[in-house]
Amino acid sequence: MLAFRTSSNLAVAYGISVSLTMLIDTLLLALVARALWPRWRTWVLPLCVVFLWSNSAS
């Protein structure tokens, strides 16, 4: 808390870290799904775009 000086700065840093974690998770999901589900490759990109859009909206 001392490095952030206020609780609102801490909340902003927490929100950014959660958003970036969800972004990385979605990108990893796309890589794994593309590698493991060859029949569903056409659906990987649209689903990941939906996930990215929903994460960026919050």
Side-chain angles (χ1 to χ4, degrees):
M1 177 84 178
L2 295 175
F4 296 104
R5 300 190 189 230
T6 65
S7 61
S8 62
N9 290 343
L10 180 63
V12 169
Y14 180 76
I16 290 171
S17 67
V18 168
S19 296
L20 290 177
T21 300
M22 294 303 294
L23 172 71
I24 292 169
D25 287 345
T26 302
L27 294 175
L28 288 174
L29 169 70
L31 290 173
V32 170
R34 187 162 161 78
L36 294 180
W37 301 327
R39 293 187 335 189
W40 297 97
R41 283 188 179 176
T42 57
W43 288 99
V44 169
L45 182 63
L47 286 175
C48 287
V49 167
V50 170
F51 286 148
L52 287 172
W53 176 76
S54 67
N55 289 331
S56 65
S58 58

